[in-house]
Amino acid sequence: MEIIISGIGMGIILSFLTGPVFFALIKTSIEKGFYAGMALAAGVVLSDGIFVALSLFGSSYITKGSAYLEYIGYAGAVILLSIGIFYLLKKVKLEFEENTSKTKKLGYFLKGFAMCIFNPSLLLYWISVTSGVISVAGGYNPNIIVPFFAAILITQFSLDTLKAYFANKLRKRITVHNLIVLNRVAGTLLIIFAAKLIYNLVINHSLL
């Protein structure tokens, strides 16, 4: 229980770190409805789960200076930059939807997945987290590692679902101005993340 409680605590902390994904989740939930926001959150959690698995089982094959990570870094920067520019230029209409079709939910799921999986700096972040946990645990102990990270991911998804729910409930109080501000915040953060990633790759040949 101590391991699970520790994982829940870490999941709560990580869930409330604001960034482009946070604002994308709130924005999607307001504009497209609760189920669209939940689908986006599921895509984010899946990408985090993949990064955790890679960190636990494949970190020995990943190095900071590997050409593979640099190529993925450039691709991720372009994707984040494109989404950011789209948010800044997108015309805002106060037409709230409630997307429940499987096709549309899959689209938001893939959007959340793509926003994270093409950001290799997140992979290095999870590698640092898993390395710290393994060193504290005195080695790779599945009885400690698996419940800990499972608790983190489940907590993150649960809290992201709550964010989507409450953001959706606030939609009646949202104005066009609010949506414009939300778009600009989300777009600006994405562009800053992309610019920082490109700077690190070009100047430092590193993702961090």
Side-chain angles (χ1 to χ4, degrees):
M1 284 302 297
E2 287 184 15
I3 296 165
I4 294 174
I5 291 172
S6 298
I8 291 172
M10 178 67 77
I12 292 172
I13 293 171
L14 295 177
S15 181
F16 284 97
L17 294 177
T18 56
V21 174
F22 173 85
F23 286 99
L25 174 65
I26 301 300
K27 178 180 179 300
T28 299
S29 302
I30 290 173
E31 291 184 339
K32 306 302 180 182
F34 167 68
Y35 292 105
M38 191 169 66
L40 187 141
V44 171
V45 169
L46 176 61
S47 65
D48 281 340
I50 291 174
F51 282 152
V52 169
L54 286 173
S55 302
L56 291 173
F57 305 113
S59 58
S60 60
Y61 301 101
I62 301 170
T63 60
K64 283 189 176 181
S66 68
Y68 169 76
L69 282 184
E70 284 201 30
Y71 294 142
I72 294 297
Y74 282 116
V78 170
I79 291 172
L80 292 176
L81 186 63
S82 300
I83 296 174
I85 293 172
F86 172 77
Y87 278 164
L88 289 181
L89 300 180
K90 181 183 178 184
K91 292 183 179 180
V92 174
K93 293 181 181 180
L94 201 60
E95 296 178 355
F96 298 131
E97 303 176 19
E98 190 64 47
N99 287 324
T100 56
S101 70
K102 290 183 178 180
T103 302
K104 289 184 177 180
K105 283 191 287 188
L106 177 62
Y108 292 112
F109 172 83
L110 293 175
K111 179 181 177 181
F113 181 77
M115 285 181 68
C116 293
I117 204 69
F118 288 108
N119 185 357
S121 59
L122 287 177
L123 174 57
L124 294 184
Y125 165 78
W126 280 113
I127 289 175
S128 65
V129 172
T130 54
S131 298
V133 173
I134 290 172
S135 64
V136 170
Y140 178 72
N141 185 345
N143 294 328
I144 295 176
I145 301 298
V146 174
F148 180 76
F149 283 102
I152 290 178
L153 296 176
I154 292 171
T155 301
Q156 280 188 276
F157 179 69
S158 300
L159 291 176
D160 284 348
T161 299
L162 284 176
K163 291 177 200 171
Y165 175 79
F166 285 111
N168 179 246
K169 288 297 182 182
L170 290 172
R171 58 171 24 183
K172 292 182 180 178
R173 300 183 181 182
I174 298 298
T175 64
V176 172
H177 174 72
N178 296 142
L179 288 179
I180 291 173
V181 171
L182 196 58
N183 272 356
R184 287 177 178 173
V185 170
T188 301
L189 281 173
L190 284 166
I191 291 172
I192 290 172
F193 272 65
K196 183 176 183 298
L197 184 56
I198 292 172
Y199 175 84
N200 288 336
L201 288 167
V202 173
I203 304 300
N204 302 324
H205 299 286
S206 171
L207 295 172
L208 299 175

